[in-house]
Amino acid sequence: MKPETLAVHAGNHPDEKTGAVIAPLITSTTFLRNEEGGYTSGYQYGRSSNPNRTSLENVLAALENGADACAFSSGVAAGMTLFQALEPGSHILAPDDMYHGLRNQLLQVFAGVLSVSFVNMGDVDAVEKAITPQTRMIWIETPSNPLLKITDIKALSAIAKKHHCLLACDSTFASPIFQKPLDLGADIVLHSSTKYLGGHSDIIGGALITGDKSSFWQKVKNFQGLGGAVPSPFDCYLLIRSIKTLPWRMRAHDENARKVAAFLDAHPLVETVFYPGLPTHPGYNIAREQMTGFGGMLSFLVKSGEGAAKALVNKTKFFTQATSLGGVESLIEHRYSVEGPESKTPKNLVRVSVGLENAEDLMEDLRQALEG
Ligand SMILES: *Cc1c(COP(=O)(O)O)cnc(C)c1O
């Protein structure tokens, strides 16, 4: 099956009992025991597993060409479970522009338990030099937030294998439609399903997908239940529903973002546009090789500086000023003020999640906000 078919069918099977074409929502927290005390259905207790969650994990694993998946109540809970499964004392290499929530998690929640070095993942030699005997995981995020930097997954997979480290890839910006990190040599993929998988800005969720059911993965799966940061059955049900349109939504996000990126790139009041689909972007060639689309995220620097960038995000009509991404509605934000004073993000940077409105309307909106 191809992605469009998997998206529709891998997470849903008609209900045999009722004939319902859409699998029902099962909210029960507990499941019947039989005479021997066993569990005939395979389900026991809602934190350990739930039929809607199993269906969600099935479609996620299928879309990433993975062997298994674990769904969580948020993207950062997925990351946390992965870090918890590492032995205390392990060292992690992470990108110098890592998603700030996970960066803060490593520095605050895992302080004294795990050590981390932040490196430029675009510099393969620097990555290899940063590996120590304690390094157990290389964490990459591509495209990255908010500069849309591209990391060469195949090259980093070779380094990870050579040094017996796991390669984990936060592939949230690409979605499983435009990038399949497991096929390129990554061991584990993370998604914040709050973003494109959910697609409608109304679910917080996360997921991990593995290439093989290693003993490390068994530990992750065990910790999913023991940690308990699991999504509700209704959130799983909604995500399965959203994923059915994911391939077509991604195509439209990509089509619109290419137009918006080209428009901004040509505008005299814009200094630089960061979009991997622009041939001038430093990651363009790698993106073309490892992705089948460039996605709907971009950022740009406003020529007149921070004040102008902050004013711009207040002037748009169709781009709503809010953080997050991946929904059908376009969002815009002054990124530095979201990330806080530790942030390395340029102060005149505006980040945009290009939605599914008409591209002409979106470009006109940005034009009037830039020039107005
Ligand atoms: C949003 C996001 C996360 C965190 O996900 P939550 O669902 O907000 O916990 C992680 N990585 C990236 C790239 C994100 O955009």
Side-chain angles (χ1 to χ4, degrees), residues 73-78 99-102 139 141 143-145 170-173 190-195 203-206 324-325 335 351:
S73 54
S74 69
V76 295
Y99 169 74
H100 70 120
L102 285 167
W139 179 277
E141 179 185 331
S144 77
N145 175 45
D170 183 341
S171 195
T172 298
F173 274 31
L190 175 138
H191 284 287
S192 163
S193 41
T194 310
K195 316 295 168 54
I203 307 162
I204 297 281
S324 199
L325 60 120
R335 190 66 196 166
R351 192 186 83 173

Side-chain angles (χ1 to χ4, degrees), residues 47-130:
R47 171 155 49 72
S48 321
S49 59
N50 161 279
N52 298 101
R53 197 194 326 157
T54 305
S55 299
L56 172 62
E57 291 171 342
N58 286 344
V59 66
L60 289 170
L63 285 174
E64 286 286 3
N65 292 335
D68 201 7
C70 280
F72 294 88
S73 54
S74 69
V76 295
M80 182 134 94
T81 306
L82 196 57
F83 299 142
Q84 284 169 331
L86 293 169
E87 290 299 324
S90 297
H91 175 242
I92 303 178
L93 290 184
D96 51 9
D97 60 340
M98 185 180 200
Y99 169 74
H100 70 120
L102 285 167
R103 178 190 162 90
N104 290 340
Q105 184 183 96
L106 278 176
L107 293 175
Q108 294 174 35
V109 181
F110 292 97
V113 181
L114 300 173
S115 64
V116 54
S117 304
F118 296 100
V119 292
N120 174 7
M121 291 294 171
D123 183 344
V124 176
D125 291 337
V127 175
E128 192 157 18
K129 282 204 188 95

